[in-house]
Amino acid sequence: MKIALAVLQQGDDYLLQKRGNIPKIGGANLIGLFGGKIGDETPLEAVCREVAEETNMSPKPEDATHWGEVDVTSDHNLEKVVVNAQIFHIKVAKDFEFKAKEGELVKMTKEQAMKQLDSMTPGTAACFRQLIGDK
């Protein structure tokens, strides 16, 4: 499964979502980045679409920077799946009143996030370990 995830950063805070208790969507009750499956589109188009669907932001392709990719095993439709996640970074203006349309908004610094990797979706935890931890 191919997905696109957005590392949304507002100042020193990362904007994440606590996923609902819906086992079929995968990552139930875990903290995750905003994003989702790549449809009939590029990963960049997918991440912009997903962020617009899941939040009150409407990023444009030029707002996103590709940071890399992570490969993990996760769950979807109550089954284990191998996931390739394309990771994009999007800065959120400090004065923007960010809202999550899906899940519950969670704000945390890098230090807070690195201490809570066990409560994150596999893709989100891998992103923090492999791409954000050294930044």
Side-chain angles (χ1 to χ4, degrees):
M1 174 184 295
K2 294 191 178 292
I3 65 172
L5 298 175
V7 176
L8 301 175
Q9 188 172 5
Q10 189 173 40
D12 291 334
D13 288 327
Y14 291 92
L15 308 175
L16 306 157
Q17 64 171 318
K18 172 103 186 262
R19 298 173 66 80
N21 188 19
I22 307 168
K24 280 190 159 193
I25 65 168
N29 287 320
L30 296 175
I31 297 169
L33 296 166
F34 291 94
K37 287 188 263 181
I38 299 171
D40 209 10
E41 61 204 332
T42 68
L44 179 58
E45 291 167 337
V47 80
C48 290
R49 175 185 53 75
E50 287 283 347
V51 170
E53 289 174 2
E54 297 177 358
T55 76
N56 65 330
M57 282 183 66
S58 296
K60 296 174 182 59
E62 58 267 22
D63 298 329
T65 303
H66 188 256
W67 267 9
E69 63 184 281
V70 297
D71 294 302
V72 298
T73 299
S74 190
D75 62 297
H76 181 70
N77 285 330
L78 306 176
E79 294 182 10
K80 295 271 184 214
V81 293
V82 175
V83 175
N84 171 265
Q86 296 297 315
I87 311 298
F88 294 87
H89 180 254
I90 300 173
K91 290 184 181 178
V92 179
K94 289 188 182 198
D95 61 346
F96 184 76
E97 192 175 328
F98 183 88
K99 293 186 178 160
K101 293 181 190 174
E102 293 184 12
E104 177 185 331
L105 177 61
V106 176
K107 289 184 182 185
M108 46 175 86
T109 64
K110 176 173 76 172
E111 293 74 22
Q112 291 168 329
M114 296 303 286
K115 292 177 184 172
Q116 296 186 50
L117 295 176
D118 289 345
S119 63
M120 294 182 176
T121 64
T124 301
C127 179
F128 272 92
R129 277 190 200 99
Q130 296 173 31
L131 301 175
I132 298 173
D134 293 336
K135 289 195 183 295

